[in-house]
Amino acid sequence: MRQMSESERERLLDSAFAWSPEALSNYLALIDARLREYERRYELPSSELGEALAHGLRETADVSAWLFWAHVRADLAGARV
């Protein structure tokens, strides 16, 4: 998703999710649970992930997945109905 433009991300999210308040709340709750698991595993809040990457956290496949879900979560939270 990082290589996608903002409009491409919006189109992808629009096509992937049913846009109702209940569905969006459910999606956010699922993503939040996933993010909490990464935060527990790495002992780092998702809000500090970008800074940690800039200061030496290695971007493994696991960390890349965490970053992906953090971006999806931010995009969905910005798209609240």
Side-chain angles (χ1 to χ4, degrees):
M1 275 186 76
R2 285 200 289 179
Q3 290 83 13
M4 299 174 100
S5 70
E6 184 68 27
S7 63
E8 289 171 326
R9 262 197 312 264
E10 285 180 28
R11 279 195 305 276
L12 175 65
L13 290 172
D14 285 345
S15 66
F17 297 103
W19 290 110
S20 73
E22 298 81 20
L24 185 54
S25 289
N26 289 338
Y27 295 137
L28 290 173
L30 290 170
I31 293 170
D32 286 344
R34 182 171 289 191
L35 291 176
R36 280 191 303 275
E37 178 58 30
Y38 286 112
E39 291 169 348
R40 183 196 59 74
R41 186 178 313 147
Y42 288 93
E43 298 179 353
L44 180 74
S46 293
S47 61
E48 295 178 15
L49 180 56
E51 186 176 329
L53 284 165
H55 289 95
L57 178 64
R58 212 169 116 238
E59 191 167 341
T60 63
D62 198 45
V63 171
S64 292
W66 181 12
L67 189 60
F68 168 80
W69 288 112
H71 282 281
V72 169
R73 205 288 179 208
D75 286 347
L76 285 176
R80 283 197 169 257
V81 194

